[in-house]
Amino acid sequence: MTKKQKKMVFRLAASAVFFAAAVVLEKSSALAWIPFILSYLLAGYDIPLKACRNITKGQVFDENFLMTIATFGAIVAGALEEAVAVMLFYQVGELFSDYAVNKSRRSIKELMDINPEYANLLKDGIEEQVDPYEVNVGDTIVIRPGEKVPLDGIVIRGNSSLDAKALTGESVPVEVGEGSNVVSGSINLNGLLEVKTTKLFDDSTVAKILELVENASSRKAKAENFITRFARVYTPVVCFAAVIVAVLPPLAGVVGLGQSIYSALCFLVISCPCALVISVPLSFFAGIGRASREGVLVKGGNHLETLAEAQIVAFDKTGTLTEGRFSVFDSLPVKGISREKLLELAALAECRSTHPIAQSILAAYGKPVNGEKLSAYREVSGYGASVTADGCNIVVGKRNYLTEEGVCIPEISAPSSAATTVYVAADGVYQGVIFLRDAPKKDAKEAISTLKALGIQETAMLSGDSKEVASAIAREIGLD
């Protein structure tokens, strides 16, 4: 909850206390008007002020003006209870609506989890941890394994793999070396990098994305905007009608001037559409709140309302329709080698790597690896790794990495175009291949089918991944 919202909660709570006290005193004391007025000012002193400011800008007939004249009319007519109740409930509805939208916006920002907290600035050979805002264009920063890239730049020393799926949707890590561009918000997976910055933090990729999220328009729904449009027409009509009620009866000699003015004020109070003003924001608050409990983040009432008329639903791929991480789904060992043995060889070579593919192979192997019997470990970032275990030299990685080591690999067709292949060799002899992929979530296909049953005409997927990978996933889960 923001400071502004906390302040409003305190105001409304205090207003409610004074309102309750006034209702109790009303029957026994002539001073009941004092807590009524205090309650009114605590709840809605800013509404008349907004109305006055809008009048100076030429915006006379809006909901603030309508609330002001209606409640002022009630006060003049002596209906203090009605004046306070209308203003109090109106402000409660506005608070709930504002809280729901801000909570959703914060949740979206937290889920992205790409904002770097610091940068390792390198000056005269001395490394200092500073705020990303303190780094200038042309400065050198150091990025260690596991750290987020804080600013956009060019690699001047080191090689590594970057996890950029939060930015691009590409599930396969990006390999970078000297001269490569790096993008802020991605995560350094293994090697140590020295990067020369090319942009200030305010101009970096991650800052631009966070700005879009943080300042995402919380536009009101059509039903909520209707209140504003309704007030622009309804308010002058009500005011004009109230003037007629106050002036015409005395001129016609039907009633006295005092009685007609009282009738006009009663007309203003009765004409205030408080039920409409209160119920609309509260209904959208309920919808946004329920959606967030189901894990659906809605930026505003207009987006919630749009869902009722949705014809097409488009999904992000990585982490939404898919698991967002690699997993072993198949393997093809040579004759005489079991799948378990193939995984064991791969796990021995990958046990010291932090690369997502290596971690997936270790997870698929599912047993602890005895590092004491390993020696001569070597990893070439983005290509593969090798190790000697009990005198046996094991090489794991891409096809060209193994062929450069003299390993002869037969032509193999992958079971899916979305597969990433890892080849395994022992003492220079090819042992088999392991297939990995970012697999669809178990309920993705069911979700697509359910949407179509609900009347959605078309489903689509947006992805920064390759077309072959995206198409394979789409076919598997039944996307249009």
Side-chain angles (χ1 to χ4, degrees):
M1 187 176 288
T2 64
K3 288 183 179 178
K4 181 182 175 182
Q5 289 167 347
K6 289 178 181 177
K7 184 179 177 181
M8 178 57 76
V9 169
F10 176 78
R11 277 174 51 191
L12 295 179
S15 175
V17 170
F18 279 111
F19 181 64
V23 171
V24 173
L25 287 173
E26 192 176 20
K27 297 177 182 178
S28 58
S29 174
L31 297 177
W33 65 272
I34 295 176
F36 269 131
I37 294 299
L38 289 173
S39 179
Y40 178 86
L41 291 174
L42 280 167
Y45 74 88
D46 52 332
I47 298 299
L49 292 177
K50 287 179 185 176
C52 292
R53 280 197 299 267
N54 290 342
I55 288 171
T56 61
K57 297 175 184 177
Q59 302 170 5
V60 180
F61 299 115
D62 61 5
E63 63 264 39
N64 294 305
F65 183 77
L66 179 59
M67 293 296 297
T68 300
I69 61 167
T71 53
F72 277 15
I75 291 170
V76 173
L80 293 172
E81 189 173 347
E82 284 78 5
V84 177
V86 168
M87 188 61 77
L88 186 60
F89 289 132
Y90 171 74
Q91 291 285 56
V92 168
E94 288 295 301
L95 173 66
F96 281 171
S97 180
D98 183 57
Y99 175 76
V101 170
N102 282 326
K103 181 181 178 183
S104 185
R105 190 185 296 136
R106 286 197 309 274
S107 298
I108 294 168
K109 182 181 175 182
E110 288 167 5
L111 281 178
M112 289 186 72
D113 192 28
I114 60 173
N115 193 21
E117 297 175 358
Y118 61 88
N120 302 313
L121 181 63
L122 188 65
K123 273 192 177 181
D124 301 324
I126 300 173
E127 193 177 315
E128 180 185 3
Q129 194 173 101
V130 299
D131 191 287
Y133 285 102
E134 297 178 28
V135 181
N136 297 313
V137 173
D139 284 349
T140 301
I141 57 174
V142 176
I143 308 166
R144 293 188 176 81
E147 292 183 335
K148 293 172 187 170
V149 178
L151 298 100
D152 295 1
I154 299 173
V155 177
I156 57 175
R157 183 177 299 171
N159 295 278
S160 186
S161 303
L162 299 182
D163 180 356
K165 64 174 176 282
L167 302 171
T168 65
E170 173 69 65
S171 52
V172 179
V174 179
E175 309 303 332
V176 295
E178 290 185 19
S180 300
N181 290 313
V182 295
V183 180
S184 55
S186 50
I187 300 173
N188 185 17
L189 295 175
N190 37 45
L192 184 73
L193 295 175
E194 288 187 16
V195 173
K196 183 179 180 181
T197 60
T198 55
K199 292 180 181 179
L200 295 172
F201 182 73
D202 279 337
D203 300 322
S204 66
T205 302
V206 67
K208 294 296 183 186
I209 292 174
L210 291 173
E211 182 184 0
L212 286 172
V213 173
E214 210 161 290
N215 299 326
S217 172
S218 56
R219 293 176 189 152
K220 293 183 178 180
K222 291 178 182 177
E224 292 177 286
N225 284 328
F226 167 74
I227 297 172
T228 302
R229 296 195 303 272
F230 173 79
R232 287 173 187 163
V233 177
Y234 181 77
T235 304
V237 170
V238 167
C239 292
F240 182 69
V243 170
I244 292 175
V245 171
V247 174
L248 283 185
L251 291 177
V254 178
V255 296
L257 181 61
Q259 179 62 41
S260 64
I261 291 175
Y262 180 81
S263 298
L265 292 174
C266 289
F267 176 77
L268 280 175
V269 176
I270 294 167
S271 301
C272 181
C274 55
L276 176 65
V277 168
I278 294 166
S279 62
V280 172
L282 279 177
S283 63
F284 279 99
F285 167 75
I288 292 172
R290 173 60 191 270
S292 66
R293 287 199 299 275
E294 297 293 336
V296 180
L297 303 176
V298 184
K299 292 179 185 176
N302 62 321
H303 303 295
L304 187 66
E305 191 176 52
T306 300
L307 285 175
E309 302 171 1
Q311 303 284 317
I312 302 171
V313 176
F315 297 89
D316 175 40
K317 180 182 74 68
T318 306
T320 302
L321 293 175
T322 67
E323 296 290 347
R325 60 181 183 273
F326 282 107
S327 59
V328 174
F329 76 100
D330 201 358
S331 61
L332 189 61
V334 297
K335 191 174 181 180
I337 298 289
S338 67
R339 294 177 184 267
E340 290 74 18
K341 182 62 179 178
L342 184 66
L343 273 176
E344 181 186 3
L345 291 171
L348 288 168
E350 299 279 28
C351 69
R352 294 177 181 174
S353 175
T354 58
H355 197 282
I357 289 177
Q359 295 300 308
S360 300
I361 289 173
L362 289 167
Y365 179 55
K367 301 174 185 177
V369 176
N370 185 3
E372 294 181 358
K373 63 179 182 179
L374 304 179
S375 61
Y377 177 81
R378 184 170 70 98
E379 181 178 2
V380 179
S381 181
Y383 290 92
S386 62
V387 73
T388 299
D390 291 333
C392 176
N393 179 246
I394 306 166
V395 183
V396 174
K398 291 183 176 180
R399 172 184 283 269
N400 58 349
Y401 180 66
L402 270 70
T403 54
E404 287 175 4
E405 296 288 327
V407 180
C408 182
I409 301 175
E411 287 299 323
I412 296 168
S413 58
S416 168
S417 57
T420 295
T421 53
V422 174
Y423 298 90
V424 182
D427 285 335
V429 179
Y430 172 70
Q431 302 293 310
V433 61
I434 297 170
F435 301 105
L436 304 96
R437 66 169 178 167
D438 181 12
K441 288 184 176 178
K442 294 178 181 179
D443 55 357
K445 188 171 184 178
E446 181 186 353
I448 300 300
S449 300
T450 303
L451 281 173
K452 290 181 178 180
L454 290 170
I456 296 298
Q457 295 180 6
E458 190 174 349
T459 53
M461 180 170 67
L462 310 174
S463 178
D465 215 333
S466 67
K467 186 174 181 179
E468 292 76 17
V469 170
S471 297
I473 296 294
R475 285 192 299 271
E476 188 170 342
I477 63 177
L479 270 170
D480 299 311

